[in-house]
Amino acid sequence: MTVPEILANHALGSNPPTADIHQSTHGSDWLWAVFAIMLLSDLMAVFWSIRRPRNFLFHQLAVVILTTSSIAYFSMASNLGHTPIVVEWDRSHGSGILTRDVWYVRYIQWFINAPLLLLIMFLGTGFPLMDGFLPLFFADAAVVLGLVGALVHSTYKWGYFTMGVFSLFYVWYVPHVPIFHLIFDTGREAFPTRTGRTRGGFLGSAFVLTFLWLLYPLVWALDDGSDTIGPTGEVVWYGILDLLTGPVFLSFLWWSHREVDLAGTTTATQRQDVKA
């Protein structure tokens, strides 16, 4: 067997597609590339966490997020973690009933990661976590509604889509939600450092994550919703968004919160060093 044959992607041969509209080998290649980036970022986060950095809880949560993403992308790259669902509209203009793969493993990834991303931002502000419960809940609600809508082949899927979009709006725009309050009403003194850097880091993190999360429903409407873009386009768009909300966003969060010092998020050894 030659080297090119060894390095060739045999995922679709080992795990044959079960739907009429399914991902291609090129799509699987892209998913393997995203998996490699997620795994490398995860290993770097694990290594840095072992070194017990300041506020190591940030890094531990990042490890959970990146590990979950790595597992999800390994599954999708291997052409696993999907189920065939009848499409609402036949874009091929052919006869018969067509099915399309819905990647439920992707929604499992988002269900775990979405509230953790919000939790990291809340920890970085010192905001009471009990006030952040509803945003965490509605972030997961948006994911579940997206999954249920993707599994429905009739027009009723758009009802779930609408409820999911409103769940995201609740996370970001309702006045009593912590993120809105912190962006527009809270002064610098409410943040754990006096330099103001934490507030700037939070504002940047909140706006970036808001923008990226609002792109997910758009992609959903074009693939699982209306079957406008093919499976390869679907995995490319979601892969880019997951990389931006995963390794890229977490790196920005670490950098922008490097001066944060929160009680309860440092190790016992670090606290003893501070006392000494």
Side-chain angles (χ1 to χ4, degrees):
M1 182 177 293
T2 63
V3 174
E5 291 176 340
I6 295 175
L7 298 178
N9 186 352
H10 302 288
L12 272 68
S14 301
N15 305 299
T18 57
D20 300 312
I21 305 174
H22 55 81
Q23 79 164 328
S24 63
T25 301
H26 293 300
S28 179
D29 291 338
W30 163 251
L31 291 171
W32 280 119
V34 177
F35 163 71
I37 297 174
M38 291 290 189
L39 182 61
L40 178 60
S41 302
D42 189 21
L43 294 176
M44 293 174 64
V46 170
F47 172 76
W48 192 254
S49 180
I50 291 175
R51 297 183 60 185
R52 295 292 186 177
R54 174 186 291 184
N55 298 314
F56 72 101
L57 182 57
F58 286 164
H59 297 76
Q60 288 187 323
L61 291 175
V63 168
V64 175
I65 293 171
L66 293 172
T67 299
T68 302
S69 298
S70 298
I71 295 172
Y73 272 91
F74 174 85
S75 301
M76 290 186 288
S78 303
N79 203 40
L80 299 171
H82 57 79
T83 186
I85 298 297
V86 176
V87 298
E88 182 179 1
W89 295 297
D90 181 1
R91 300 292 181 182
S92 66
H93 304 290
S95 59
I97 299 176
L98 291 180
T99 58
R100 176 177 176 138
D101 281 332
V102 170
W103 299 89
Y104 59 80
V105 69
R106 176 185 291 132
Y107 291 91
I108 296 174
Q109 168 201 351
W110 293 339
F111 183 85
I112 296 174
N113 288 352
L116 293 184
L117 288 169
L118 290 178
L119 180 60
I120 290 179
M121 287 203 301
F122 291 161
L123 288 174
T125 62
F127 204 95
L129 293 183
M130 65 179 180
D131 293 333
F133 172 76
L134 282 180
L136 300 183
F137 167 77
F138 277 100
D140 267 346
V143 175
V144 173
L145 289 166
L147 173 59
V148 175
L151 296 176
V152 174
H153 71 272
S154 66
T155 307
Y156 286 90
K157 68 168 58 184
W158 297 103
Y160 292 103
F161 171 79
T162 302
M163 289 186 284
V165 171
F166 274 103
S167 295
L168 282 181
F169 284 163
Y170 187 97
V171 172
W172 298 115
Y173 294 108
V174 175
H176 62 271
V177 172
I179 288 182
F180 186 98
H181 176 67
L182 285 172
I183 291 177
F184 295 102
D185 300 325
T186 305
R188 292 177 184 268
E189 64 275 9
F191 289 80
T193 63
R194 296 182 178 180
T195 63
R197 184 176 299 278
T198 307
R199 177 176 174 81
F202 173 80
L203 292 176
S205 303
F207 280 123
V208 168
L209 195 60
T210 299
F211 173 74
L212 292 175
W213 276 12
L214 291 178
L215 293 179
Y216 280 92
L218 176 61
V219 179
W220 188 99
L222 294 175
D223 53 65
D224 288 337
S226 64
D227 194 38
T228 301
I229 61 176
T232 301
E234 171 189 352
V235 298
V236 168
W237 276 109
Y238 279 136
I240 293 173
L241 289 176
D242 285 342
L243 286 174
L244 291 176
T245 57
V248 175
F249 177 76
L250 291 172
S251 298
F252 170 75
L253 203 65
W254 287 338
W255 176 83
S256 62
H257 289 72
R258 62 188 181 277
E259 294 185 4
V260 177
D261 190 7
L262 301 176
T265 62
T266 55
T267 65
T269 302
Q270 289 172 325
R271 289 194 293 270
Q272 290 175 359
D273 291 341
V274 172
K275 293 180 179 179

